[in-house]
Amino acid sequence: MKKIISVVGARPNFMKVSPIHKVIQKLNTQNSSLITNKICHTGQHYDEKMSRIFFDELELPQPDYYLGVGSGSHAEQTARIMIEFEKVLLYEKPDLIIVVGDVNSTIACTLTAVKLYIKVAHIEAGLRSFDRKMPEEINRILTDSISDYLFVTERSGIENLKREGISKDKIFFTGNIMIDSLLYYYPKVEKSNILKSYNLLPQNGDPKPIPYILVTLHRPGNVDSETNLHNIAGLLNSLGEKTKIIFPVHPRTKKNLINFNLLKILNPNIIFTEPLGYVDFIALIKNCRLVLTDSGGIQEETTFLGIPCVTLRTTTERPVTVELGTNYLVGDDTNAARKVCLDILDNKFKKGQIPELWDGKSAERIVSILLNMINN
Ligand code: UD1
């Protein structure tokens, strides 16, 4: 029996590990002694709305290990994860660990495992923004350089890894695992009551919901700087004059909106909510006129669903969403962002296509490759 430990830490990790866990469970019901997958939650995200709700919705079992590391500086958080995860690895002695994405938990657990000669598989490898001021970019480069198996979501990832001198034998183009989750939970998304709870249901025989923009913001570059957050508040106010805005607020952003006294100047057409669960959030994406965001994963989910996405960043590590998908990279120029948003509200936007292998079968491909690797 081979043993795997899958690591989750922050909100965007849960929907990437869930499909892997399901495929392994299914294999085990067919052949009971093949492989076990234990889940280790570092506790990087710990609020109910940033963490537990996802376990419940995504049908993930309670984690086998909860490291409870919480917030702190990057060094503190990374170090605490390493110290606690090392204990788990020494006790469990797994054949392999799986890490996903680009958060501090990803690099911390990778570094801990490779020093104990434990193999590491990185899902969502090879993405590069080429902006080393983003902590995620450092996490991506370092994780990829020391992992054993690199699973790539889009072709740019293959090129980036090769350019960094990584052997092609380690690179596998298996598609986008987030789309596995999106497709699997889609029936639940269609039953979500979130539109009703914000009074957005279609009215007077109109087939479409009441128009609204969905906003998410949490990048330090946007929300930790008073000037930048002030400019973004101005953008939201001006868009709020045209249409409703639904804004689920990340804890980091909430703290800064309060500290910079911005909450009280915001247009009443902007509806603030706590961070939402996966199913309700996807339902809000699916029905909105456009998403305004600085997230990574949302650029992919909007591309898959064919919803226009305006990304308030100067770079993206997911270029296929701009080249093929529905994403517009507008940088930090809020005037440019406003213009693109107004065009979209005026129905002028690209329709986009679904990228290669974003088909709901990534986890099957990944697990089948991993089984081959660890059994040989
Ligand atoms: C992290 C990831 C980022 C990912 C994002 C998704 C890194 C370097 N960054 O950023 O890539 O896109 O998660 O949300 O790993 N906080 C709470 N409750 C929580 C979690 C955080 O209140 O459950 C607050 C804390 O004050 C903390 C701050 O939010 O200091 C930032 O949390 P942290 O996990 O350090 O980074 P994120 O900004 O969430």
Side-chain angles (χ1 to χ4, degrees), residues 57-101:
E57 279 193 325
L58 301 174
E59 300 154 27
L60 275 166
Q62 283 308 303
D64 298 276
Y65 293 96
Y66 184 75
L67 307 183
V69 300
S71 302
S73 71
H74 283 267
E76 283 167 344
Q77 195 174 55
T78 310
R80 277 205 293 268
I81 297 170
M82 290 183 70
I83 291 167
E84 296 307 316
F85 191 56
E86 187 178 52
K87 295 176 194 162
V88 175
L89 293 181
L90 289 173
Y91 179 73
E92 288 282 352
K93 299 190 175 49
D95 298 283
L96 171 91
I97 72 155
I98 296 179
V99 296
V100 296

Side-chain angles (χ1 to χ4, degrees), residues 9-125:
R11 182 168 61 175
N13 295 160
F14 306 118
M15 54 294 255
K16 296 172 193 164
V17 163
S18 163
I20 293 283
H21 191 74
K22 287 202 173 61
V23 170
I24 294 178
Q25 265 181 326
K26 195 168 147 200
L27 276 179
N28 280 338
T29 50
Q30 290 157 0
N31 178 352
S32 62
S33 59
L34 211 51
I35 189 169
T36 61
N37 181 45
K38 292 200 172 176
I39 294 179
C40 177
H41 185 341
T42 64
Q44 175 175 348
H45 283 175
Y46 44 87
D47 281 0
E48 161 87 20
K49 297 266 164 48
M50 299 293 284
S51 174
R52 231 211 47 202
I53 186 170
F54 291 90
F55 269 80
D56 297 344
E57 279 193 325
L58 301 174
E59 300 154 27
L60 275 166
Q62 283 308 303
D64 298 276
Y65 293 96
Y66 184 75
L67 307 183
V69 300
S71 302
S73 71
H74 283 267
E76 283 167 344
Q77 195 174 55
T78 310
R80 277 205 293 268
I81 297 170
M82 290 183 70
I83 291 167
E84 296 307 316
F85 191 56
E86 187 178 52
K87 295 176 194 162
V88 175
L89 293 181
L90 289 173
Y91 179 73
E92 288 282 352
K93 299 190 175 49
D95 298 283
L96 171 91
I97 72 155
I98 296 179
V99 296
V100 296
D102 55 15
V103 301
N104 286 343
S105 301
T106 312
I107 178 59
C109 292
T110 303
L111 191 50
T112 312
V114 293
K115 294 219 172 166
L116 294 171
Y117 307 112
I118 294 167
K119 301 257 186 241
V120 178
H122 182 208
I123 298 181
E124 209 181 82

Side-chain angles (χ1 to χ4, degrees), residues 114-176:
V114 293
K115 294 219 172 166
L116 294 171
Y117 307 112
I118 294 167
K119 301 257 186 241
V120 178
H122 182 208
I123 298 181
E124 209 181 82
L127 296 179
R128 295 290 180 269
S129 66
F130 304 101
D131 173 4
R132 291 203 176 193
K133 289 215 179 77
M134 285 177 79
E136 295 82 359
E137 181 74 353
I138 306 297
N139 294 343
R140 289 189 278 258
I141 294 169
L142 296 182
T143 301
D144 287 340
S145 71
I146 55 176
S147 293
D148 299 278
Y149 311 114
L150 299 166
F151 295 102
V152 173
T153 52
E154 62 170 82
R155 286 195 181 275
S156 71
I158 307 176
E159 297 317 311
N160 294 334
L161 293 173
K162 284 192 189 154
R163 194 180 330 101
E164 289 169 20
I166 289 174
S167 154
K168 67 175 182 357
D169 304 341
K170 291 184 172 183
I171 308 171
F172 305 91
F173 180 34
T174 43
N176 193 334

Side-chain angles (χ1 to χ4, degrees), residues 185-206:
Y185 294 106
Y186 206 72
K188 279 196 188 177
V189 169
E190 288 189 312
K191 289 194 194 122
S192 161
N193 279 324
I194 194 78
L195 291 189
K196 188 167 176 214
S197 46
Y198 293 124
N199 294 324
L200 297 166
L201 285 177
Q203 281 179 358
N204 308 327
D206 192 340

